[in-house]
């Protein structure tokens, strides 16, 4: 089975940096995904890590350590529109999602 | 990018009736589609995996006779909630993977079901 943990809520100021951690315990690992979900909408894909290390994509970066069962999503130069829930998911063919971290960006 | 649509976007039905939700991949073929349910302030819970031309695979605890899934073509999967009850009120989201085997799942916009 899968056990995926991430913080429930985080608050940050516009222009700042926020790091969302995700730890997981799985019976098998094929990759880790990060999704962004605005209230009442479907998730949108942000990043995918299958090997250890940092993947950078614009203002968003994602890091993975398979030996530690750990990942983080780094959001830089925060904007108000980044206020959303961020979901960590593990799997390949099927995805298991964490409960999500609600990020609130304040002016 | 690939687009997945869902219809309807929201529906209100009376207890005891059935509701059908459609999930379509608009610009790609999807051998596999997934159906999720999300309650307020909770994460997505996978309900079932829908495979084109074969029976769906349901997750533990999901009643296959209550949530009927049909994947009749490479671009369409339907979820029918039969004999709906208020506790079935939720946000239902589908996703699809390209037949080519790419890792990314593309999510539909979701369907808000309210059972009165």
């Amino acid at each position: 089975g899968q056990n995926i943990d991430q913080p429930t809520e985080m608050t940050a100021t516009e222009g700042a940096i926020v790091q969302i951690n995700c730890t997981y315990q799985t019976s098998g690992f094929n990759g880790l995904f990060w999704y962004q979900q605005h209230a009442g909408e479907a998730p949108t894909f942000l990043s995918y890590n299958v090997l250890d290390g940092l993947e950078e994509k614009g203002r968003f970066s994602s890091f993975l350590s398979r030996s530690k069962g750990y990942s983080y999503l780094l959001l830089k130069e925060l904007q108000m529109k980044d206020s959303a829930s961020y979901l960590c998911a593990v799997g390949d063919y099927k995805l298991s999602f964490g409960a999500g971290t609600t990020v609130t960006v304040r002016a | 990018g690939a687009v997945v649509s869902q219809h309807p976007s929201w529906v209100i039905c009376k207890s005891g009736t059935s509701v059908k939700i459609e999930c379509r991949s608009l610009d790609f073929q999807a051998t596999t589609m997934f159906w999720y349910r999300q309650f307020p302030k909770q994460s997505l819970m996978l309900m079932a995996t829908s495979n084109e031309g074969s029976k769906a695979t349901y997750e533990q605890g999901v009643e296959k006779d209550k949530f009927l899934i049909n994947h009749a073509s490479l671009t369409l999967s339907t979820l029918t909630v039969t004999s709906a009850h208020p506790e079935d009120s939720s946000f239902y989201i589908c996703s699809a993977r390209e037949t080519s085997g790419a890792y990314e799942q593309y999510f539909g916009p979701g369907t808000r079901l309210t059972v009165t």
Side-chain angles (χ1 to χ4, degrees):
Chain A
Q2 320 277 27
N3 186 23
I4 302 168
D5 291 315
Q6 50 182 130
T8 304
E9 295 179 334
M10 300 183 75
T11 302
T13 305
E14 195 173 16
I17 299 173
V18 69
Q19 177 175 314
I20 306 170
N21 297 322
C22 172
T23 58
Y24 62 88
Q25 294 175 317
T26 64
S27 54
F29 179 83
N30 289 305
L32 188 141
F33 298 77
W34 283 97
Y35 284 85
Q36 180 192 60
Q37 186 179 26
H38 286 98
E41 300 180 8
T44 55
F45 172 81
L46 290 179
S47 68
Y48 171 64
N49 294 71
V50 64
L51 300 176
D52 290 352
L54 187 67
E55 295 281 342
E56 296 187 83
K57 193 184 286 188
R59 294 189 298 113
F60 294 175
S61 302
S62 58
F63 172 83
L64 174 67
S65 169
R66 288 172 296 172
S67 62
K68 295 181 179 179
Y70 168 70
S71 172
Y72 68 72
L73 178 69
L74 196 68
L75 285 63
K76 295 179 279 189
E77 300 172 16
L78 280 173
Q79 301 175 9
M80 299 300 288
K81 66 179 182 179
D82 297 330
S83 293
S85 182
Y86 292 85
L87 308 175
C88 172
V90 175
D92 180 14
Y93 181 74
K94 296 195 299 184
L95 294 182
S96 294
F97 284 83
T101 299
T102 300
V103 172
T104 302
V105 181
R106 294 180 175 171
Chain B
V3 178
V4 175
S5 70
Q6 275 185 247
H7 178 81
S9 56
W10 61 270
V11 57
I12 301 173
C13 70
K14 292 186 177 180
S15 187
T17 61
S18 296
V19 174
K20 179 185 284 188
I21 302 170
E22 293 185 349
C23 176
R24 294 181 185 271
S25 56
L26 297 186
D27 49 3
F28 67 99
Q29 293 186 328
T31 305
T32 303
M33 291 183 173
F34 302 90
W35 286 96
Y36 296 85
R37 181 167 52 183
Q38 186 176 34
F39 292 105
K41 297 189 177 182
Q42 295 186 23
S43 190
L44 279 74
M45 296 298 296
L46 179 65
M47 299 175 66
T49 303
S50 171
N51 301 298
E52 187 268 338
S54 64
K55 291 183 179 180
T57 305
Y58 291 81
E59 296 299 303
Q60 190 172 6
V62 178
E63 300 174 58
K64 63 180 180 180
D65 294 330
K66 180 171 182 62
F67 299 99
L68 301 179
I69 292 173
N70 186 303
H71 196 149
S73 75
L74 287 172
T75 59
L76 174 64
S77 176
T78 61
L79 168 69
T80 301
V81 183
T82 62
S83 186
H85 289 98
E87 57 264 32
D88 298 324
S89 298
S90 187
F91 193 46
Y92 291 86
I93 307 174
C94 73
S95 70
R97 294 186 64 186
E98 292 190 62
T99 302
S100 63
Y103 58 80
E104 185 174 343
Q105 288 188 27
Y106 301 98
F107 284 85
T111 297
R112 176 77 58 191
L113 170 64
T114 302
V115 184
T116 61

